[in-house]
Amino acid sequence: MLTHLPALAVIIPLLSAPLCLFLRRPLLAWLFTVIASGLTMLVSITLLQQVMASGTIVYEMGGWRPPWGIEYRVDRLNAYLLLIVTSISTVVLLAANTSIEKEIPRHRLTLFYVLYLLSLAGLLGVVTTGDAFNVFVFLEISSLAAYSLIALGEDRRALWAAYQYLIMGTIGATFILIGIGLLYQMTGTLNMDDLSRRLPEVSQTRTVFAAFAFIIVGVCLKVALFPLHRWLPNAYAYAPSIVTAFLAATSTKVAVYLLIRFTFSIFGISFSFTTVPLQTIFVILGLTGIFAASTTAIFQKNVKHLFAYSSVAQIGYMIVGYSISTTMGLMATLLHLFNHALMKGALFLALGAVMYRIGSVRLEQFQGLGRQMPFTMAAIVAGGLSLIGVPLTVGFVSKWYLVLAALENGWWPVAVLILLGSLLAIVYVWRIVETAYFNEPPAGRESIEEAPLGFLVPVWMLVSANIYFGMDTRLSVQVAEAASQALFGVSP
Amino acid sequence: MILGLYNYWVVVVLMMIGFYIVIAHGNLIKKIVGLSIFQTAVFIFYISIAKVDDATAPILEEGISKYSNPLPHVLILTAIVVGIATVALGLALAVRLNEAYGSIEEESIQNQDNQEC
């Protein structure tokens, strides 16, 4: 049983999805989905322990030896990502039953869970697989499910957002497909490990450069790196709250993982950062992204839009850490993957609670909420503080390492810009705080109650994780450091 | 040299036609068609790289020692399924958009959205 864990992480949600279709009662479907997601979380915790103790786990799918068969490979980075995706998914699901009863028509509830499980299976598949073509297939499974999940939003603009995301997402995925095809043409293999060994021989050919360009652009579309982020704000803003919380915390993270996997493991550091000027391009795009998206966030009237733009800015931080391309910089990026998932999970779930009580997340509707929904608002404030990077929250930990990494590399202007970017975060978080705490509730809305426990428990689980991992950084820092060292080929 | 690689030229031309339609056309159905052409070009590309000169179809037979690579065909079968799912979903969304906005023109939908904000 234990030897099959890497496959189980994908197979549990993948098989649960069609089974879930038979459960007509929404409550049953919900319980079933929570259990399936909880099981994958247990699997990933076990995997992480095994990997930290005894190194990379290799699993041969169907007993076919790689590079002929498909290989599942779980090293520290994979295990870390698995843990992020499954734990966020499980916590977010806890609130799903309460949240979607008001946002999705009753006859579609079961289908919602089916799509959710498919999307989860796709994301976990991208993370565990060691085969480049398999990545494309799982990426499309998760994306197709995500488009449909977004289209379930009650506003008609959700449909338009889903359509635009579908177009952009498919272009991105097809670019990745072209890149993988070119790599296969040059090396005759699809296994990632095998690719990394065969690529150096042919790395100076135009075909490999073209493959690199296609894959990077395709992955960056999925990452929503500025200026390829146009699909993200509307998709996050009009999707059902649960979907926003799930996707914001997981899908872009998995795309960042792909970026790291392709550049560091497959193409190799010297090709990605020396032969191709990726470092300069990414540091500029990352910093522009931080400032452009944070500034746009300040002027948003819809709070979901506001946090969606803030997500684009946070991706900018991850890309800056990544482009520093030292062990420390990459470690900051990996930490921020984990920490940003915690923050955005908490924030979007809390917004889901507001949506549940008020039916809107426009900023003017937040007036007086500080007194009417004290626990929900306190969670939003805590999440916001974490977003800014106030000490004792997780946001501080990753920004701290990011600034250290920039300084270590002698990039002090970058460090200054990172800190300035945080000031912009203060502005947009403050707008929400000001509206919620220093205004009277609008007339005719005196009797809003606190969100039900179905919301408060998962929201506060994530908020306490935000604070706990902000103080006790052993787990996240240790794993991120080990993963980053492994990527640089330094044996720990 | 150039003529010998003619299927790659077909791939590039089809790919650019498809990509151009996706970007330039405002009609949602045409966009999906463009996307489909774009993807099909990639399928042809995969099939082209599988071709080995003077080789036959990969069926075990007496007296034949050179076979074309069958793997890309299998990969593309999967990619075709993905492509069909994408087109189906895109068209379904277009139908729903038409019900909600009364139009399948990008400009008209965008205008209606801008008025709401």
Side-chain angles (χ1 to χ4, degrees):
Chain A
M1 189 65 181
L2 276 179
T3 50
H4 293 294
L5 285 180
L8 277 179
V10 185
I11 284 176
I12 293 174
L14 197 61
L15 283 185
S16 308
L19 289 180
C20 187
L21 201 56
F22 294 110
L23 301 172
R24 282 280 151 223
R25 299 256 305 275
L27 192 66
L28 275 181
W30 173 64
L31 276 176
F32 183 76
T33 316
V34 171
I35 292 170
S37 175
L39 278 178
T40 52
M41 186 169 123
L42 286 181
V43 169
S44 28
I45 292 173
T46 326
L47 275 174
L48 183 63
Q49 280 172 343
Q50 281 185 2
V51 168
M52 288 308 280
S54 54
T56 311
I57 301 173
V58 176
Y59 180 83
E60 295 163 6
M61 204 39 126
W64 295 89
R65 280 234 329 274
W68 296 281
I70 288 172
E71 172 194 39
Y72 276 24
R73 206 183 172 84
V74 182
D75 64 6
R76 294 191 172 89
L77 179 61
N78 300 113
Y80 180 65
L81 258 291
L82 279 179
L83 181 69
I84 297 177
V85 174
T86 51
S87 52
I88 294 287
S89 147
T90 312
V91 177
V92 165
L93 266 179
L94 290 179
N97 191 39
T98 326
S99 171
I100 62 172
E101 71 180 26
K102 282 205 177 171
E103 292 184 35
I104 295 175
R106 205 179 148 74
H107 63 280
R108 290 204 186 123
L109 288 180
T110 309
L111 292 175
F112 166 84
Y113 292 113
V114 174
L115 288 172
Y116 189 98
L117 281 169
L118 278 178
S119 184
L120 179 64
L123 292 174
L124 295 177
V126 172
V127 175
T128 36
T129 188
D131 183 278
F133 192 80
N134 223 217
V135 163
F136 162 76
V137 176
F138 277 122
L139 200 61
E140 281 302 77
I141 293 178
S142 81
S143 305
L144 285 167
Y147 308 146
S148 335
L149 280 173
I150 290 165
L152 282 174
E154 37 181 6
D155 197 305
R156 66 174 179 179
R157 278 170 290 187
L159 292 169
W160 185 223
Y163 183 88
Q164 284 176 314
Y165 184 16
L166 178 128
I167 297 287
M168 295 306 276
T170 309
I171 292 176
T174 313
F175 270 34
I176 297 173
L177 186 63
I178 299 172
I180 293 171
L182 292 169
L183 287 184
Y184 182 71
Q185 193 179 18
M186 292 310 285
T187 59
T189 180
L190 289 168
N191 183 292
M192 289 182 180
D193 198 37
D194 213 24
L195 272 174
S196 69
R197 261 177 278 126
R198 294 197 194 184
L199 267 178
E201 289 169 31
V202 287
S203 65
Q204 292 306 320
T205 54
R206 199 172 286 169
T207 319
V208 173
F209 280 107
F212 186 76
F214 272 118
I215 289 176
I216 293 296
V217 173
V219 172
C220 283
L221 258 168
K222 297 274 181 187
V223 172
L225 171 65
F226 180 87
L228 302 172
H229 69 284
R230 291 296 302 260
W231 57 267
L232 186 141
N234 279 339
Y236 282 10
Y238 300 121
S241 309
I242 291 296
V243 177
T244 313
F246 174 60
L247 289 182
T250 56
S251 79
T252 46
K253 311 291 167 298
V254 170
V256 171
Y257 155 78
L258 267 189
L259 187 64
I260 294 173
R261 183 56 85 207
F262 270 112
T263 45
F264 278 84
S265 306
I266 297 181
F267 284 98
I269 305 166
S270 61
F271 180 83
S272 306
F273 292 101
T274 320
T275 319
V276 184
L278 200 60
Q279 197 169 30
T280 331
I281 300 174
F282 271 17
V283 86
I284 292 171
L285 287 182
L287 287 172
T288 330
I290 293 173
F291 282 93
S294 301
T295 319
T296 323
I298 294 173
F299 297 102
Q300 295 306 311
K301 295 194 186 84
N302 178 327
V303 180
K304 264 179 149 181
H305 259 140
L306 187 153
F307 282 126
Y309 276 107
S310 135
S311 274
V312 178
Q314 301 298 317
I315 290 162
Y317 287 110
M318 293 174 209
I319 294 298
V320 169
Y322 161 88
S323 62
I324 294 173
S325 69
T326 57
T327 329
M328 181 79 107
L330 192 61
M331 182 180 142
T333 300
L334 294 179
L335 271 175
H336 206 51
L337 284 183
F338 179 73
N339 297 343
H340 182 243
L342 289 179
M343 304 171 202
K344 278 290 149 63
L347 282 169
F348 278 119
L349 215 50
L351 287 184
V354 174
M355 193 80 178
Y356 181 80
R357 281 294 183 222
I358 302 179
S360 161
V361 284
R362 294 188 70 78
L363 193 58
E364 67 262 17
Q365 300 286 336
F366 273 65
Q367 290 176 359
L369 270 194
R371 249 157 293 158
Q372 289 178 319
M373 298 174 76
F375 290 107
T376 312
M377 273 316 296
I380 294 182
V381 171
L385 289 178
S386 192
L387 206 54
I388 297 167
V390 176
L392 297 184
T393 60
V394 285
F396 175 71
V397 182
S398 36
K399 289 231 172 94
W400 170 258
Y401 280 103
L402 191 56
V403 169
L404 277 189
L407 289 178
E408 186 193 70
N409 218 23
W411 290 12
W412 60 267
V414 174
V416 171
L417 288 173
I418 291 168
L419 295 175
L420 281 178
S422 304
L423 291 181
L424 290 175
I426 298 180
V427 179
Y428 58 71
V429 171
W430 175 252
R431 279 187 71 213
I432 303 169
V433 174
E434 191 188 12
T435 321
Y437 286 93
F438 299 99
N439 280 306
E440 290 301 315
R445 217 197 59 196
E446 283 81 14
S447 60
I448 290 287
E449 285 174 32
E450 180 53 74
L453 273 183
F455 263 114
L456 286 182
V457 172
V459 167
W460 276 92
M461 275 165 83
L462 285 171
V463 170
S464 16
N466 264 298
I467 296 163
Y468 177 78
F469 288 111
M471 292 189 282
D472 180 7
T473 56
R474 273 172 305 181
L475 174 79
S476 47
V477 170
Q478 199 187 9
V479 179
E481 195 171 16
S484 143
Q485 280 171 347
L487 283 170
F488 275 95
V490 188
S491 50
Chain B
M1 175 70 188
I2 287 176
L3 276 180
L5 295 173
Y6 70 93
N7 39 356
Y8 292 97
W9 287 106
V10 172
V11 168
V12 171
V13 170
L14 271 183
M15 201 184 274
M16 287 306 115
I17 291 174
F19 202 42
Y20 177 79
I21 297 175
V22 178
I23 295 169
H25 272 275
N27 184 305
L28 301 192
I29 307 284
K30 285 185 184 163
K31 268 182 188 293
I32 301 281
V33 172
L35 206 58
S36 194
I37 296 176
F38 180 53
Q39 286 185 316
T40 311
V42 182
F43 302 162
I44 300 176
F45 163 66
Y46 266 73
I47 301 299
S48 306
I49 53 178
K51 172 74 179 144
V52 176
D53 284 340
D54 309 321
T56 63
I59 304 166
L60 217 53
E61 190 100 32
E62 287 281 320
I64 294 171
S65 56
K66 260 184 146 182
Y67 298 109
S68 282
N69 185 354
L71 185 68
H73 301 76
V74 184
L75 297 179
I76 285 317
L77 274 182
T78 318
I80 288 174
V81 176
V82 171
I84 289 172
T86 312
V87 170
L89 183 59
L91 290 178
L93 281 175
V95 170
R96 290 276 308 279
L97 278 164
N98 189 32
E99 283 167 4
Y101 288 86
S103 166
I104 50 163
E105 292 296 328
E106 187 178 4
E107 210 172 316
S108 153
I109 293 173
Q110 202 67 58
N111 281 340
Q112 291 184 44
D113 269 359
N114 292 345
Q115 281 164 9
E116 262 175 55
C117 283

